[in-house]
Amino acid sequence: MIHYEYPLSERIRTLLRLEDLFDRFDAYAASPDRHAHHAALLTLFEMAEVAARADLKSDLLQELDRQKSVLAALRGNPRVQDRTLETVLAAIEAAHHGMYQLPGKVGQHLREDDWLMTVKQRAAIPGGMCEFDLPSYHHWLHQPAAERAGHLQRWLAPFSSIRAAVDIVLGLLRDSGQPELQHVEHGHYQRMLESRNPQLIRVTLIDTLPCVPEISANKYMLNIRFVHAGAGQMRTCTDQPIDFDLTFCTL
């Protein structure tokens, strides 16, 4: 199955981008190849740019506070597993404490490193990171893989509390919705949202289906057009019936 997610607010859009960057960094940093470590460093720069949004930290702190209050009220509820609830509350408290202790803007430690900022500036130029442009970076790429990996993890470490908060908020958001099985015959689905006011829409398709959803939505209406995947001109998938799961998620 493949999940396609469509955020309906800038805040959720930012969290999804950060989640993708964290996952991408992990994949690159796990490889010993120097080209993968190069990609991991570029991902760190992207991460810092996305996370530097002025209100991100305050938004996450407020959301963690709100979720903590909502979940704490469930203590003693016979339909809620106490151990699971306390685990989630402890994770929220740890993420909140870590973010509260984080000084300045997220990613500030990267901006304060002159060497990293030199690399970042050259990275913005197409082909600007050749060995004759950045001999010190060329030297870094030829250090032992374990040493490079250690540097990457050290540069990532100050993002850990933000990452924990992003994982918690998106996890709670995704768990808030129940999938509804839908069916279309002619490649197009439309639905009034009425009072749902979702923050995230998820469309789940089987991975063998050669179609992908193009989603557009506002607070009144949801439109999904299924188009053929892959290269070439995009054509609506009108030649086959499509079953998919539709989930509305709201915190």
Side-chain angles (χ1 to χ4, degrees):
M1 307 298 286
I2 302 179
H3 300 290
Y4 299 90
E5 297 183 327
Y6 185 82
L8 278 82
S9 71
E10 185 60 32
R11 180 175 61 132
I12 301 303
R13 190 173 292 114
T14 298
L15 299 188
L16 288 172
R17 284 182 173 137
L18 282 173
E19 180 186 57
D20 178 71
L21 289 169
F22 287 131
D23 290 343
R24 196 189 310 169
F25 176 90
D26 287 346
Y28 290 143
S31 170
D33 185 76
R34 67 174 183 269
H35 297 296
H37 286 179
H38 167 78
L41 184 56
L42 297 185
T43 303
L44 267 177
F45 294 148
E46 288 186 68
M47 201 183 296
E49 290 296 322
V50 175
R53 203 189 80 183
D55 54 352
L56 174 66
K57 191 161 67 169
S58 61
D59 276 355
L60 282 172
L61 286 170
Q62 290 174 12
E63 188 59 45
L64 290 176
D65 277 333
R66 192 172 74 86
Q67 293 301 323
K68 182 180 177 182
S69 298
V70 170
L71 293 173
L74 297 176
R75 284 190 171 117
N77 190 319
R79 293 180 295 179
V80 177
Q81 292 186 352
D82 290 340
R83 181 176 297 179
T84 301
L85 178 62
E86 293 303 325
T87 299
V88 174
L89 286 170
I92 290 175
E93 183 63 32
H96 188 285
H97 179 74
M99 287 182 57
Y100 191 78
Q101 297 296 321
L102 195 64
K105 284 187 176 183
V106 182
Q108 187 63 34
H109 64 292
L110 300 182
R111 300 181 192 92
E112 292 174 351
D113 189 310
D114 292 339
W115 183 79
L116 285 175
M117 287 302 95
T118 299
V119 174
K120 182 176 182 293
Q121 289 169 4
R122 296 300 307 182
I125 302 171
M129 301 184 71
C130 289
E131 59 187 84
F132 55 82
D133 291 308
L134 286 173
S136 65
Y137 183 63
H138 186 63
H139 177 267
W140 181 78
L141 287 175
H142 282 78
Q143 297 309 297
E147 184 175 334
R148 292 196 310 268
H151 291 159
L152 290 170
Q153 293 302 325
R154 189 175 75 245
W155 294 328
L156 176 71
F159 290 98
S160 61
S161 57
I162 291 289
R163 182 175 195 173
V166 168
D167 288 345
I168 290 169
V169 172
L170 288 180
L172 292 172
L173 177 60
R174 288 173 177 132
D175 289 343
S176 70
Q178 290 296 323
E180 304 171 6
L181 182 62
Q182 306 293 336
H183 176 83
V184 292
E185 288 286 347
H186 304 293
H188 184 258
Y189 178 87
Q190 188 175 70
R191 179 170 178 168
M192 295 292 293
L193 291 181
E194 301 165 348
S195 60
R196 286 180 178 272
N197 196 27
Q199 294 170 287
L200 181 71
I201 293 171
R202 306 185 86 203
V203 173
T204 304
L205 298 171
I206 58 173
D207 52 11
T208 55
L209 187 70
C211 299
V212 297
E214 287 187 346
I215 304 171
S216 61
N218 54 39
K219 61 182 179 180
Y220 304 110
M221 182 73 71
L222 166 66
N223 283 284
I224 304 174
R225 190 167 72 103
F226 292 91
V227 298
H228 286 284
Q233 187 174 3
M234 301 293 273
R235 294 181 296 108
T236 305
C237 296
T238 58
D239 56 346
Q240 63 186 111
I242 297 173
D243 292 311
F244 64 98
D245 282 335
L246 177 64
T247 309
F248 297 102
C249 304
T250 305
L251 285 170

